[in-house]
Amino acid sequence: MDIEGTVAVVTGGASGIGRATALELARGGADVVIADVHDERSDEVVREIEALGRSALGVHCDVARDDDMERLARHALADFDRVDILFNNAGVPLLGPPERVPMEDWDWVLQVNLYGPIRGVRAFVPGMLERGRGYVVNTASIAGLFAYSWDSVPYITSKFGVFGFSEGLALYLRPQGVGVSVVCPGLVETNLGELARLAGVDDAVEWSAGMEDFRPIGADEVARQVVDAIRADRFLVLTHPEFAPLLQERAQDHDAALAARIARLPPPPRL
Ligand SMILES: NC(=O)c1ccc[n+]([C@@H]2O[C@H](COP(=O)([O-])OP(=O)(O)OC[C@H]3O[C@@H](n4cnc5c(N)ncnc54)[C@H](O)[C@@H]3O)[C@@H](O)[C@H]2O)c1
């Protein structure tokens, strides 16, 4: 899809990958709606987009809430008539032992990370299908492609859900003129830690394992790859290609890959 002249909605657009992608889309000629719970940062990004000569709108939107998503759609369509690109990107991390994480925390991470994109699709894809044109990008994670550790089972669960949702959407929407991509970043320097929750245990340091080898990259790099994928109609955005061999090995022998990962990780602390 050519970005010039499009209208994009970016959830989680006030910070990190969302902010960087909103700016990259604006540089490509898109008008952008920023949907986020952080109003102050959202206003800043709106000003940055306007300084690039594009129109922008900030809408307070908690993607975990039906009424917020409906309001977002109303405001976006009132200001811009249509939405061509939907970037379902808002997400939050949750660490903790799966048998001890309270249901309200499971609900939180799944409502934001998985039901958020589902709500986004329900709000904006009908218009795209009517026009036979549009693009949906969902942010999963490398944690949506393989379980990198035992420390983040709730987050991994939500991101595997986003990956499957995206692949299914690609089968359903592409033949109808709507493109789909899924972004699977490794470690990216953002503000993600601010909203992170630890549940069921007290010690975050003791409970964190498995990310020591991850190579951090900047959000701008991810944004360039996302916008390239939209232009090229490419499904998978694997920001850290060093994970590709690991995924290939796992596809060949899942049990061997699991055994190798368990051998590499420190054992989970006994609770
Ligand atoms: N940073 C990483 O290393 C990394 C790696 C893989 C995947 N991701 C994913 O990238 C996405 C973007 O995260 P980021 O790293 O840019 O973090 P970030 O915290 O910098 O940005 C996330 C934005 O989402 C917003 N947000 C959080 N909950 C929300 C909600 N309920 N409704 C609306 N907005 C909400 C936050 O206010 C924030 O502005 C997330 O889905 C995250 O899971 C990040």
Side-chain angles (χ1 to χ4, degrees), residues 138-266:
N138 297 323
T139 301
S141 168
I142 195 66
L145 287 169
F146 84 107
Y148 69 92
S149 173
W150 40 257
D151 68 355
S152 304
V153 175
Y155 183 73
I156 289 166
T157 305
S158 71
K159 293 299 188 178
F160 264 69
V162 175
F163 192 88
F165 179 56
S166 307
E167 195 168 312
L169 278 181
L171 297 179
Y172 176 64
L173 293 178
R174 274 190 176 178
Q176 304 187 72
V178 177
V180 179
S181 298
V182 64
V183 192
C184 294
L187 188 58
V188 187
E189 285 155 344
T190 68
N191 295 313
L192 193 65
E194 281 180 13
L195 288 175
R197 281 192 198 171
L198 174 75
V201 281
D202 297 326
D203 187 342
V205 174
E206 194 189 40
W207 193 258
S208 303
M211 286 193 57
E212 298 75 16
D213 303 338
F214 280 31
R215 171 178 63 94
I217 62 171
D220 292 348
E221 169 65 30
V222 180
R224 278 191 294 275
Q225 294 189 29
V226 171
V227 175
D228 280 355
I230 297 173
R231 287 196 171 108
D233 200 8
R234 194 170 47 249
F235 177 67
L236 178 62
V237 181
L238 187 66
T239 64
H240 291 64
E242 61 264 38
F243 287 113
L246 194 149
L247 297 170
Q248 280 157 12
E249 284 162 27
R250 190 186 64 163
Q252 277 161 12
D253 189 337
H254 215 126
D255 278 292
L258 268 179
R261 184 132 292 270
I262 289 169
R264 264 181 78 92
L265 289 168

Side-chain angles (χ1 to χ4, degrees), residues 14-38:
S15 172
I17 295 167
R19 170 184 169 273
T21 306
L23 293 172
E24 189 65 19
L25 286 166
R27 276 183 219 107
D31 294 330
V32 188
V33 181
I34 301 295
D36 205 292
V37 289
H38 200 305

